């Protein structure tokens, strides 16, 4: 837990809006040498299984965002059927899970969030989640 908090500290020392704009521009960059290198690095670093992608040739992705939101083969992610089942809409892993209290906070990325604030300040929207459970998925 301490290691993950330390890992996030540097992000709070940087100008968030400027950093977000810069990363958005890089993710949408169409320079083939840059976006291909970024995609290759991502595939190797996160061990992405490209055999399940509809488009396996990284050169065919116009930018990193297109790669990141790539379509997988229908057979790769069959949707679980039946009652009392949960389907995950993304490739990722559960990094946090726990209970949500009525006025308690929801923990994500090592920080606590007020449930009502997390849902845009709408108390009615938050009601169904009181005393429920949560899971934070790390993409």
């Amino acid at each position: 837990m301490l290691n993950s908090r330390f890992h996030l500290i540097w992000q709070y020392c940087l100008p968030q809006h400027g950093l977000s704009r810069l990363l958005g521009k890089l993710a949408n960059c169409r320079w083939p040498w840059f976006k291909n290198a970024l995609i290759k690095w991502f595939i190797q670093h996160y061990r992405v299984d490209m055999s399940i992608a509809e488009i396996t040739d990284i050169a065919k992705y116009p930018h990193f965002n297109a790669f990141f939101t790539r379509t997988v083969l229908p057979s790769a992610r069959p949707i679980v059927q039946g009652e009392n089942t949960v389907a995950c809409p993304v490739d990722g892993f559960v990094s946090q899970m726990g209970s949500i209290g009525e006025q308690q906070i929801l923990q994500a990325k090592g920080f606590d969030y007020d449930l009502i604030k997390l849902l845009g300040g709408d108390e009615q929207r938050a009601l169904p989640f009181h005393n429920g459970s949560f899971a934070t998925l790390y993409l």
Side-chain angles (χ1 to χ4, degrees), residues 37-57:
L38 182 58
I39 292 170
K40 281 181 189 175
W41 175 85
F42 192 88
I43 288 170
Q44 290 173 348
H45 186 76
Y46 292 102
R47 291 179 243 140
V48 176
D49 181 0
M50 290 301 291
S51 69
I52 63 171
E54 281 191 354
I55 300 171
T56 57
D57 181 358

Side-chain angles (χ1 to χ4, degrees), residues 6-94:
F6 179 74
H7 185 266
L8 293 173
I9 288 175
W10 69 270
Q11 293 180 29
Y12 293 96
C13 298
L14 299 172
Q16 296 298 302
H17 295 292
L19 181 61
S20 181
R21 279 193 298 275
L22 173 63
L23 292 176
K25 287 185 185 289
L26 293 175
N28 284 312
C29 178
R30 292 176 180 265
W31 296 337
W33 65 269
F34 179 79
K35 62 96 180 171
N36 288 345
L38 182 58
I39 292 170
K40 281 181 189 175
W41 175 85
F42 192 88
I43 288 170
Q44 290 173 348
H45 186 76
Y46 292 102
R47 291 179 243 140
V48 176
D49 181 0
M50 290 301 291
S51 69
I52 63 171
E54 281 191 354
I55 300 171
T56 57
D57 181 358
I58 66 169
K60 292 186 178 177
Y61 291 99
H63 45 69
F64 180 78
N65 273 342
F67 162 76
F68 193 77
T69 59
R70 69 197 170 280
T71 302
V72 297
L73 298 171
S75 60
R77 300 287 188 273
I79 303 297
V80 65
Q81 300 294 317
E83 290 186 30
N84 300 319
T85 59
V86 176
C88 182
V90 298
D91 283 337
F93 64 89
V94 176

Side-chain angles (χ1 to χ4, degrees), residues 71-135:
T71 302
V72 297
L73 298 171
S75 60
R77 300 287 188 273
I79 303 297
V80 65
Q81 300 294 317
E83 290 186 30
N84 300 319
T85 59
V86 176
C88 182
V90 298
D91 283 337
F93 64 89
V94 176
S95 64
Q96 300 278 335
M97 50 191 286
S99 300
I100 302 172
E102 237 179 87
Q103 297 301 322
Q104 291 179 344
I105 37 93
L106 179 70
Q107 190 180 73
K109 291 188 177 182
F111 294 93
D112 297 329
Y113 297 89
D114 178 90
L115 178 61
I116 294 170
K117 287 182 184 175
L118 188 64
L119 295 172
D122 187 336
E123 290 186 35
Q124 290 301 314
R125 179 180 269 172
L127 278 176
F129 299 100
H130 287 187
N131 300 315
S133 299
F134 76 93

